[in-house]
Amino acid sequence: MIEIVPRGTMRPRIAILIPVIAGLAALLLAAVPLAFAGAPILPAYAQMASGVFGSMFTVTETLTRATPLIFTGLAAAIAFRARLWNIGGEGQLYLGALAAVWVGTGMIDGPPILMIPLVLAAGAAAGAVGLLGPALLKTRFGADEVVTSLLLNFIILIFVQMMLEGAFKDPMGLGWPQSEPILDSAVLPTLVDRMRLHAGFLIAIAVALVAHAVLAYTVWGFRIRAVGGNAAAARHAGIGVKRTILGVAIMSGACAGLAGVSEVAGLKGYLTSDLSPGFGYAGIVVAMLAGLSPIGVIAASLFVASVFVGADSMSRAMGVSSFLADLIVSMSLICMLVGGFFARFRLRRRTTRAP
Amino acid sequence: MIDILQIFLSESFWAASLRIASPLIFGVLGTLLCERAGVLNLGIEGIFVVGAMTGWMAVWLGAPLPVGVLAAALAGALFGLFHSVLTVPLGLSQHVSGLGITLFASSLASFAYRTALPQVSSPPRIEPFRSLDVPILSDLPFFGTVLFQQTALTWLALIMVGVVWWIMDRTPLGVALKAVGDNPEAVNAQGLSVIRLRMGAVVAGSSLMALGGAFLTMSAFDAFFFGMVNGRGWICIALVIFASWQPGKALVGALLFGMFDALQVRLQTEAGALVPHQVFLMMPFILSIIALVIVARRADYPRALLTPWFRGQR
């Protein structure tokens, strides 16, 4: 018989090492599907690496791809800290994008100094509302937020499609279901000449730092950690558990909403119903790889974005299905989960004791 | 109003309701088995995709339809085994593991499909299950169409309701399964293996989920599309709460859902000019949330759901 034995307290160095090992393990495991697809293994990895680090362009592309992942990763990390299972990042992202398009395509116009904060605020508010719904259904009626936030993803996406074929449709769009372009004054400026990397990246980093400060140094952050650690004990200590959960929902939803704003106002310039290739779900992987730490989210986003950009480049060059990127990302989540287990426990052969 | 009455009186409406309900019956029964044993299985959405892809692929490669169904169930069982190893003996987060399984299973299925068929513009078709034409019975008015012109997979779903009910309510195994989801320590005290019971339930439940996916590619349609599962798995997670974890009510819940979906499609053609068709597409998801909210307060969750059990630790 095999017995599970706790290892005692985890050293911080190990805590940082696990996601690194998990990420590397997932990359190594990718050799199996690569072999099945008949691609030469080593050149494929070389192509992946050069797809990420090959040039100024590829590096900025990776940072651009990391931007929405930082936002959705923060959304998941903050919510999961309080054990609020927000699986609705994808929907909240679209709500944020929808609000950005609503405010930013001609409702009002002004100088960028006014328009950019306005568009960001609108998107954050919309995302917050998107999670406040499931959070209220949880605190008021006890409805499981996993299910409600998940189902809302589908409702919101259909709603976006409806708006893009209706009120928000670009009359100049040649019949395509897409929104009007964001006004120039609301577009997030690019950071590097002739590259797509935009100010959304810096905003994402700033939000991550603020989230870290809030969680680590404020009473509010303490409440969130207390509710996540042991809701009953937190209630006993006089912490308003429901109020904390609603507050967390606002913070988390707002982060996911910002992902939508940054994609629309920073990258695409207009909204389509394929704005996000699953950034909301990938954000959950990011948050878990980050150990639910906001600073860790930045690093984990860079890893996941590298996998996406590198594997995409390799897929194009070698004719391997681009689902490989999703496969590697999902494997890194599972490796992280298993790695976390072996950091906390070890397996021991049970020796039969004399009675 | 007359129009709605006509819809409810038509045979094709009821036949469609049962057809739409079929994959959900598999899915809710699978979820029920997992959760009754104390394990949440959010891998369901991905397991649906795997079942849909595997069943279709087996038949496309030349296997007979029943072998395709078995292949789908086996693939589902494998992913269920994976989820159960992570959550039962290792006791890892059921939420995270389940989401990981969904992401892993759906990307693996999509990758395998694309790798096997790199350059197809339109998805290749198979010869799917045909509706059973039972002599005499199929010619009965109303019931003939509604019940006896369904495919074998719909019948399998209905039979599985009975099988799961019988196991849960009439066998010692069912008693043990329910107990392991409520009070695993008591089961352990009886000398039964909590680990084996839970893992078995997750494996069996996951293979049922995969059959739900297989229904889509082998009965409802005849090809595999990306995104074809489209939230059906998640809806099952909501329906099982609505069904209070009971097989009979699971059938009722899935049928009600099938009715609303069939109604939605018919109203779409009736009122398509007045309301955007997306409003109707949203309805199933909105109804699932409403149903969940209504029953949430008095939902009697299995008491040890989400709680891992370790030997010698209370």
Side-chain angles (χ1 to χ4, degrees), chain A residues 18-35 40-42 44-50 52-53 285 289 299-300 302-312 314 324-336, chain B residues 104:
Chain A
I18 302 162
V20 175
I21 294 172
L24 288 176
L27 279 174
L28 281 179
L29 283 172
V32 179
L34 272 174
I41 307 285
L42 288 179
Y45 278 110
Q47 181 71 41
M48 265 194 250
S50 78
V52 178
F53 304 107
V285 182
L289 284 175
L302 290 175
F303 168 74
V304 172
S306 307
V307 169
F308 274 125
V309 173
D312 275 357
M314 188 276 297
L324 185 71
D326 298 294
L327 198 50
I328 299 175
V329 169
S330 67
M331 288 193 296
S332 69
L333 174 62
I334 293 172
C335 290
M336 177 69 196
Chain B
F104 179 55

Side-chain angles (χ1 to χ4, degrees), chain B residues 216-238:
Chain B
L216 297 177
T217 47
M218 302 175 72
S219 186
F221 304 99
D222 53 7
F224 176 79
F225 311 95
F226 299 113
M228 75 186 305
V229 173
N230 193 27
R232 281 184 180 85
W234 306 132
I235 285 170
C236 294
I237 302 270

Side-chain angles (χ1 to χ4, degrees), chain A residues 1 4 33-34 36-37 80 85 87 137-144 146-148 150-152 154-155 158-159 161-162 165 242 281 284-285 288 320-321 323-324 326-327 330-331 333-334 337-338 341 344-345 347 350, chain B residues 40 42 45 82 86 89-93 95-97 99-101 103-108 110-111 114-115 118 226 230-231 234-235 237-238 241 276-279 281-282 285-286 288-289 292-293 296-297 301 310-311:
Chain A
M1 279 300 282
I4 295 168
L34 272 174
F36 268 100
F80 289 9
W85 295 100
I87 325 287
L137 292 181
K138 177 192 173 84
T139 55
R140 282 280 171 85
F141 302 103
D144 187 14
V146 173
V147 184
T148 52
L150 260 170
L151 292 176
L152 261 180
F154 293 85
I155 296 172
I158 297 170
F159 181 70
Q161 285 163 350
M162 184 169 99
E165 285 178 18
K242 287 185 179 178
Y281 301 103
I284 296 169
V285 182
M288 293 313 298
V320 176
S321 157
F323 285 108
L324 185 71
D326 298 294
L327 198 50
S330 67
M331 288 193 296
L333 174 62
I334 293 172
L337 203 57
V338 175
F341 172 83
R344 279 178 288 130
F345 302 97
L347 299 181
R350 187 204 299 275
Chain B
L40 174 71
L42 293 181
E45 185 80 6
F82 196 3
L86 294 178
L90 301 189
L92 294 164
S93 163
H95 283 108
V96 180
S97 169
L99 290 169
I101 296 286
L103 294 175
F104 179 55
S106 49
S107 52
L108 189 63
S110 304
F111 180 83
R114 258 287 160 262
T115 305
F226 299 113
N230 193 27
W234 306 132
I235 285 170
I237 302 270
I241 303 171
H277 72 280
Q278 286 97 346
V279 172
L281 292 180
M282 280 182 210
F285 299 105
I286 295 176
S288 303
I289 292 182
L292 184 62
V293 169
R297 267 280 171 257
Y301 280 84
F310 299 106
R311 181 179 297 276

Side-chain angles (χ1 to χ4, degrees), chain A residues 152-170:
Chain A
L152 261 180
N153 287 339
F154 293 85
I155 296 172
I156 292 167
L157 189 61
I158 297 170
F159 181 70
V160 166
Q161 285 163 350
M162 184 169 99
M163 297 313 275
L164 290 179
E165 285 178 18
F168 282 28
K169 185 173 180 168
D170 183 4

Side-chain angles (χ1 to χ4, degrees), chain A residues 34-250:
Chain A
L34 272 174
F36 268 100
I41 307 285
L42 288 179
Y45 278 110
Q47 181 71 41
M48 265 194 250
S50 78
V52 178
F53 304 107
S55 68
M56 186 66 180
F57 174 72
T58 58
V59 170
T60 56
E61 276 301 291
T62 306
L63 298 182
T64 311
R65 190 69 78 97
T67 304
L69 292 171
I70 298 177
F71 284 122
T72 55
L74 286 172
I78 293 168
F80 289 9
R81 272 287 180 103
R83 299 257 170 120
L84 177 70
W85 295 100
N86 174 16
I87 325 287
E90 189 79 0
Q92 291 140 28
L93 179 153
Y94 274 105
L95 281 181
L98 207 56
V101 166
W102 185 47
V103 176
T105 55
M107 181 201 223
I108 41 166
D109 198 5
I113 191 85
L114 198 82
M115 285 304 286
I116 289 176
L118 198 66
V119 168
L120 289 171
V129 169
L131 183 54
L132 207 51
L136 277 169
L137 292 181
K138 177 192 173 84
T139 55
R140 282 280 171 85
F141 302 103
D144 187 14
E145 77 278 16
V146 173
V147 184
T148 52
S149 66
L150 260 170
L151 292 176
L152 261 180
N153 287 339
F154 293 85
I155 296 172
I156 292 167
L157 189 61
I158 297 170
F159 181 70
V160 166
Q161 285 163 350
M162 184 169 99
M163 297 313 275
L164 290 179
E165 285 178 18
F168 282 28
K169 185 173 180 168
D170 183 4
M172 313 293 277
L174 301 170
W176 291 105
Q178 63 183 46
S179 77
E180 289 178 51
I182 295 269
L183 295 174
D184 285 345
S185 51
V187 168
L188 302 175
T190 52
L191 298 180
V192 188
D193 254 358
R194 291 179 293 121
M195 302 287 162
R196 300 204 299 171
L197 183 63
H198 54 87
F201 179 68
L202 297 182
I203 299 171
I205 302 278
V207 172
L209 294 176
V210 170
H212 169 72
V214 168
L215 281 176
Y217 304 116
T218 66
V219 178
W220 180 233
F222 172 75
R223 285 200 191 122
I224 294 174
R225 281 179 286 141
V227 168
N230 185 338
R235 188 175 296 118
H236 195 67
I239 293 173
V241 173
K242 287 185 179 178
R243 270 188 60 192
T244 309
I245 287 178
L246 295 180
V248 165
I250 291 173

Side-chain angles (χ1 to χ4, degrees), chain A residues 3-16:
Chain A
E3 201 176 13
I4 295 168
V5 189
R7 282 188 200 271
T9 50
M10 202 195 300
R11 278 167 303 175
R13 212 173 345 137
I14 304 270
I16 291 177

